[in-house]
Amino acid sequence: MSSPSRTAEVAVFAGLRGPARTFSYVVPEGLPLSPGHLVRVALGSRAVPGVVVALDGAVDRELKAIDALLHPLPLLRPHQLALAAWIAERYRCGLADAVRAMLPPALASRARASRLGAARGERSEPVFAVAPAGRAALYAGTRVGPRQLVTLRALVAGAVTPHDLVDAGGSAEAARALVRKGLATEGRRAVRRVPAEFALVEEDRVRDAEATPAQAAALLEIAAVRGQGRGLLLHGVTASGKTEVYLRAAADALARGYGVIVLVPEIILTAQVVARFIARFGDRVALLHSALSAGERFDEWRRVLDGIADVVIGSRSALFAPLERVGLVVVDEEQEPSYKQESAPRYHAVDTALALGRASGATVLLGSATPRVVTYEAARNGDLTLLSLPERVGEMALPPTTIVDLRLELRSGNRGTLSRELRKALQHAVGGGEQAILYLNRRGFATIVLCRDCGYVATCPACEIPYAYHIDGSLVCHRCGRREAHAPDRCPACGGARIKQLGVGTQRVEEEVRATVPGARIIRLDRDAVRAKGAHARAYERMRSGDAQVIVGTQMLAKGFDLPRVTLVGVINADTVLNLPDFTAAERTFELLTQVLGRSGRGTAGGRGIVQTYLPEHYAIRASAAHDYGAFVEAELAGRRRFGYPPFGRLVVLSTHAKRLATVDRRADELARWLREAASGDAEVFGPAPAFAAKRAGSYRAQIVLRGVHPERVLGRVSVNEEWTVDVDPVTLLG
Ligand code: ADP
Ligand code: ZN
């Protein structure tokens, strides 16, 4: 080889299974290549697309050359490549994995030919225009039918689509009649599909409203840190005007020529937030979420790449949209566990958003009514700027809430799931023409052992977290692995015999509600019901229109439901999540209760809340009923500090599985021993212990937990092979 050629490291996307990989190629002379470019390369006998992740030095071995450049502009901007490197380092994955996560899944198929495909219109619609003869006919007073006349006038005034015509009192049929007479012309154009879920019911009335003083102060602060890549926590109770702050901060960034990314946890459940962005920014909005087909996702991504859309809304991966310049990243409901990706790369979208801010200079705005204590502590120690919206917009007050002690209820002989107080309140609300939400705080499986008489929960004596109940009748601590062969059949605290595992279903609640308020129309909304397309939106509409009076459901009720006629929120069982043996159990409970109680009293009729619990003294229950985030945070942080949980230490979970229990045990014991030898004060090593789901899909599962200030240092000293998944900064230990 004569002249010193350069090499490029290319992440190849050939639908390869397993971890993505990078390969080196020679850069043909004269090819203007930079990192982020999409190229075609040879892999074995095939030609496949790939993305240049780095340009290296001189060629030192026999390498193939890059075939061709497939798109003139880089698909990944420099700040994105920097972010990919951060992800690979922080979450211990390959750079190619991180890069692949940033690109749409359909990229490989759309990049097959000699170039990158353009966005396709998913559908087309008819469009009309007036013909010269039509204009003449109108002025000459030529006689046409009344509908055709209105339609012709609308066309002359610039109406184009059937929708425009209908708005003006005309119709597409009338326009076609005009076409047949030679007075108009018809064509078709592609339209981008915005799903019906995101159509806004009301007008965007608040756009020009004056900001509340708290909103104005927050917006000033956001403006003050512009361009610094700083993170801010917008802590505001439900309906305090957070979304309006996002919208105005976004408008400011757009006005300055910067793009905006908005992350929402589950897009279908936060349709109202999305709808408000679409109402305000129209076609500039691109939606990137998992409910789209791969083709739709590619099209939306492509609109961003081409600069047609510069407001990107979506779940986690919207963070990786190829905006040329990012001015603002909003993470709504920052506390949501769904921001953690549960497959490689296992990134947390909040931490990754903050890293994107540092890499790009974008302001990162984390919003929540109930921020994670980790985030709150970061705001308190100055890593983030704290912005508060302490009150609801307007006159609405947070609903006064009563705690009902279910142990007393049982003692008085009530074996139902609705307490007397809740039944009375339900009858009162429905009788008065108001609406109620009944909420089950439920996970899919019964896991803890609880005394129905005194509220005692069987707990690991070493770790002070509840034991998990297993089908074989044993109790297992999923932190330290301690096991008791039999669950007690008498309560060790009160001697009562009514100690059993916990679990209630929505169906049973629905039946009791039916008996309590006969004649009321009731909707049930749980995971199963929501699978049906549009079920969530339909349920919301039925409540909104007043067609139904009571809705019974699980987690999906807690979000988005803004129903002014709801005056009662009843929490059937506040304890199911609280009792999970997980370090975030109290935080999740506080968060879910606060969310769902916030659904009450959004209208002029006011509202109240009722929380049923076996643990009426627990700080998470008391603080949520009192709407006291401060009290919750203090109690929770004290507990976290005592056990070295985040933010006082970081966690890494290493998990493995195998068909034979002996294999898992041997493998796990061996790695745990190595980790303990390597730990040297940087982290504590817990386990191995059976995973929370100790057996799944025919495999036994075990996990080891590292907890400490520098768990990554320990990982750096031990080689962990591919039989293990490594989860850095997990949001749960119940994997
Ligand atoms: P959050 O996101 O905190 O739940 P929203 O932004 O949805 O709060 O605001 C709650 C309600 O108050 C919404 O109906 C919104 O349109 C309205 N709102 C927000 N800001 C203002 C304002 N400055 N003036 C009048 N109404 C507002
Ligand atoms: Zn234990």
Side-chain angles (χ1 to χ4, degrees), residues 122-123 191-196 287 291-293 296 300 533:
E122 298 291 315
R123 270 191 327 158
V191 289
R192 177 172 158 255
R193 195 181 60 92
V194 174
L287 292 175
L292 296 178
S293 72
E296 289 168 329
E300 292 295 272
K533 212 169 152 70

Side-chain angles (χ1 to χ4, degrees), residues 206 209-212 215 237-244 248 276 393:
V206 197
E210 196 178 331
T212 65
Q215 284 174 328
V237 296
T238 47
S240 61
K242 294 186 294 296
T243 307
E244 194 52 39
R248 291 178 188 208
R276 280 167 70 183
V393 174

Side-chain angles (χ1 to χ4, degrees), residues 220-350:
L220 264 180
E221 195 74 53
I222 293 167
V225 300
R226 202 183 280 137
Q228 297 173 15
R230 179 145 183 94
L232 305 95
L233 169 60
L234 181 62
H235 180 206
V237 296
T238 47
S240 61
K242 294 186 294 296
T243 307
E244 194 52 39
V245 171
Y246 306 154
L247 287 161
R248 291 178 188 208
D252 178 71
L254 293 173
R256 288 161 195 283
Y258 286 88
V260 174
I261 295 173
V262 182
L263 300 191
V264 291
E266 238 177 296
I267 205 147
I268 298 301
L269 303 184
T270 45
Q272 284 192 306
V273 173
V274 179
R276 280 167 70 183
F277 271 87
I278 292 175
R280 197 154 301 177
F281 301 117
D283 280 347
R284 301 178 81 161
V285 175
L287 292 175
L288 283 172
H289 63 95
S290 51
L292 296 178
S293 72
E296 289 168 329
R297 229 146 96 177
F298 178 86
D299 288 341
E300 292 295 272
W301 174 85
R302 190 68 216 266
R303 293 174 64 243
V304 180
L305 185 73
D306 291 348
I308 298 167
D310 51 7
V311 180
V312 185
I313 307 186
S315 31
R316 286 187 306 263
S317 62
L319 209 46
F320 305 134
L323 286 166
E324 192 178 347
R325 304 200 295 167
V326 198
L328 178 71
V329 181
V330 172
V331 185
D332 189 27
E333 312 273 15
E334 76 84 30
Q335 80 286 351
E336 273 297 310
S338 66
Y339 282 130
K340 179 77 190 206
Q341 163 114 336
E342 298 296 359
S343 59
R346 295 171 183 269
Y347 65 93
H348 197 299
V350 172

Side-chain angles (χ1 to χ4, degrees), residues 417-475:
T417 56
L418 306 182
S419 62
R420 289 159 299 174
E421 179 157 5
L422 182 51
R423 279 208 303 260
K424 222 182 292 160
L426 194 56
Q427 285 161 345
H428 182 84
V430 172
E434 295 157 0
Q435 294 176 318
I437 290 177
L438 296 182
Y439 174 68
L440 267 91
N441 207 353
R442 193 167 72 112
R443 289 271 297 232
F445 32 91
T447 52
I448 62 138
V449 170
L450 169 94
C451 173
R452 301 294 206 263
D453 291 325
C454 75
Y456 166 87
V457 173
T459 302
C460 168
C463 306
E464 299 181 26
I465 58 172
Y467 275 130
Y469 178 81
H470 279 225
I471 298 298
D472 63 3
S474 67
L475 296 176

